[in-house]
Amino acid sequence: MPEISAPTRDRSRPKPRSKPHHEPPTPALERAAPRPTGSGAQRPGPRLIGLATALPDHVVDQHEARAFAAETFGGAFGSSTRLLDVYDHSGIDTRRVCMPLEWYREPHDFGERNRLYIEHGLALARRASEPALERAGLGPGDIDHVVFVSSTGLATPSLDARLAQVLGLREDIHRTPVWGLGCAGGAAGVARARDFALADPGARVLLVALELCSLSFQRRDLDRRSLVAAALFSDGAAAAVVAGPEASGSGARVVGAGEERVAGTGGARALELLASQSTLWPDSLDVMGWEVDGDGLHVVFSRDIPSIVTEHVRGNLERFLSAHGLSLAEVTHLVAHPGGPRVLEAYASALGLAPEAFVHAREVLRACGNMSSPTCLFVLERLLEHGVAPGDLAVLAALGPGFASEYVLMRAAM
């Protein structure tokens, strides 16, 4: 597909609580676009027209990871090895990390780990962005806005500024770095890219979600949450191109498949981004996030996340769909972030769905682990590789620190 030139425009730890106990008291926290998406004529909206993923080079088999954990955490929990069973029940076969496994055997200070975050993060973001642009039929000069989502390191100038340099984005590029959304960041990033494309209908927005979770592993943290995090989290990046409704080149197909898996499988249908919703549950700040001290970032997450999904997600999602004249039965695909096997089981239980509804999420978890923000985009990519029918409705769904949910309602191009 030839490159499409951009139109000329002038662009001058609180006390822990186990789970949220109630839904938000007002709808103010549940933001959704006002136009309905059910039956009837619809104006074209922003479209996701390119998607690609990238993984670092170092592969860690889960058996290797378990042996590493047994060595690292040995004695921290007495003679019992029961906690190591989390590795056997993680649903993960392999993961990718940015450094060789031997590197993680030694302690490293925050400065060293953060320097590696910048170095490897920039390289991985580039490896995801370039094929995403190619599959959208665009060049770097065609991008008007970049949204960069990441929560596993710090950089000023931010990584989006560095990425703009290596990709060759225009000097008048608009940049929005987003930090702190964790696992919800990929879905939230798609929603923000949609917002920008609605505000500027002729714009093309590059979204990048990048996480190097392995660099947050601290050799001296020998508690249960660090053990569980080491069993689940991994590194990866995803990039998506969203075109406004008036942008040339916002055609009907997303070209190609993930470079790290099945390349060149042909086109997948573009996705119209119909609506989004963010929900921030009260009294839940301690469910997931970071504790930050002089050593850097220490993982926080609650064992009650599956019960939060079971108790709150269905009603939350149904209200979102109802606001757009839809029911859960009309959604063909739920593209859920696979936080872990128990989270996926909770989704299935809460929504009354068969395990097969999460086959792509489970496969991403099996092959890649939980990469935090980009993971749901890996699941979306896999869904597109396997094909969606014209008019199929899908919801991109992820949960993250806040504690919060992020949904994006999508429809496959006709």
Side-chain angles (χ1 to χ4, degrees):
M1 181 181 295
E3 291 189 355
I4 302 164
S5 300
T8 302
R9 293 197 294 274
D10 182 17
R11 300 187 181 278
S12 326
R13 193 136 113 102
K15 183 178 179 181
R17 297 180 177 89
S18 62
K19 62 177 81 70
H21 299 293
H22 52 86
E23 295 294 331
T26 72
L29 294 172
E30 299 191 358
R31 301 188 302 277
R35 67 183 180 96
T37 57
S39 59
Q42 300 296 322
R43 291 185 302 165
R47 292 187 173 200
L48 192 155
I49 62 168
L51 179 62
T53 60
L55 293 165
D57 295 333
H58 300 287
V59 181
V60 178
D61 180 271
Q62 194 71 336
H63 297 295
E64 289 181 275
R66 190 186 193 281
F68 172 81
E71 172 191 325
T72 302
F73 292 89
F77 307 108
S79 60
S80 174
T81 61
R82 182 179 56 84
L83 286 175
L84 291 174
D85 291 347
V86 67
Y87 284 81
D88 303 323
H89 304 297
S90 64
I92 297 169
D93 288 349
T94 59
R95 286 177 282 166
R96 299 287 188 98
V97 293
C98 65
M99 299 296 290
L101 187 60
E102 293 73 21
W103 183 87
Y104 300 94
R105 298 183 188 278
E106 302 296 329
H108 303 275
D109 65 28
F110 182 53
E112 179 185 355
R113 284 183 274 118
N114 202 67
R115 286 190 294 272
L116 291 169
Y117 165 80
I118 295 172
E119 175 189 346
H120 291 277
L122 178 59
L124 202 59
R126 181 177 187 175
R127 285 172 58 187
S129 298
E130 289 177 336
L133 290 172
E134 181 182 355
R135 289 158 194 168
L138 301 174
D142 298 318
I143 296 299
D144 304 297
H145 198 133
V146 59
V147 177
F148 199 105
V149 175
S150 188
S151 299
T152 46
L154 303 172
T156 303
S158 52
L159 279 178
D160 52 282
R162 301 163 194 258
L163 182 65
Q165 299 287 323
V166 299
L167 288 180
L169 303 181
R170 300 197 315 263
E171 292 182 355
D172 64 345
I173 191 76
H174 296 286
R175 299 183 293 116
T176 303
V178 181
W179 197 90
L181 295 179
C183 295
V190 173
R192 298 295 78 76
R194 173 184 177 273
D195 290 343
F196 291 126
L198 282 172
D200 185 356
R204 304 181 189 92
V205 184
L206 173 65
L207 163 68
V208 181
L210 160 81
E211 305 292 358
L212 300 181
C213 303
S214 72
L215 293 179
S216 69
F217 176 74
Q218 305 223 24
R219 181 65 177 78
R220 297 184 183 93
D221 283 355
L222 299 179
D223 54 20
R224 294 188 181 197
R225 64 188 184 184
S226 296
L227 175 67
V228 174
L232 293 173
F233 288 102
S234 55
D235 303 342
V241 179
V242 174
E246 297 176 11
S248 57
S250 55
R253 300 188 77 79
V254 180
V255 180
E259 66 170 349
E260 300 294 337
R261 291 193 295 281
V262 188
T265 61
R269 294 194 172 273
L271 298 172
E272 186 181 1
L273 306 178
L274 303 174
S276 70
Q277 175 181 282
S278 302
T279 302
L280 180 62
W281 282 297
D283 301 324
S284 60
L285 294 175
D286 58 330
V287 170
M288 180 182 288
W290 295 123
E291 286 183 354
V292 185
D293 63 15
D295 293 325
L297 308 174
H298 304 262
V299 67
V300 175
F301 60 91
S302 170
R303 63 193 305 171
D304 294 314
I305 292 173
S307 66
I308 295 172
V309 173
T310 300
E311 295 176 23
H312 296 278
V313 162
R314 186 182 186 105
N316 185 228
L317 181 55
E318 286 180 333
R319 282 188 294 277
F320 171 48
L321 295 172
S322 178
H324 300 281
L326 295 167
S327 68
L328 187 58
E330 294 175 88
V331 175
T332 312
H333 310 284
L334 182 67
V335 186
H337 169 79
R342 291 182 60 216
V343 172
L344 292 176
E345 290 166 6
Y347 268 114
S349 175
L351 301 176
L353 298 174
E356 291 74 21
F358 301 95
V359 62
H360 300 310
R362 284 195 171 85
E363 178 58 23
V364 168
L365 183 66
R366 184 196 66 77
C368 304
N370 182 346
M371 299 164 283
S372 190
S373 68
T375 315
C376 66
L377 298 176
F378 276 70
V379 180
L380 180 60
E381 178 191 56
R382 185 173 171 82
L383 171 65
L384 294 174
E385 289 174 5
H386 285 75
V388 293
D392 274 3
L393 289 171
V395 173
L396 186 66
L399 305 173
F403 191 59
S405 67
E406 296 284 345
Y407 303 130
V408 181
L409 178 62
M410 306 173 290
R411 180 169 55 206
M414 301 298 288

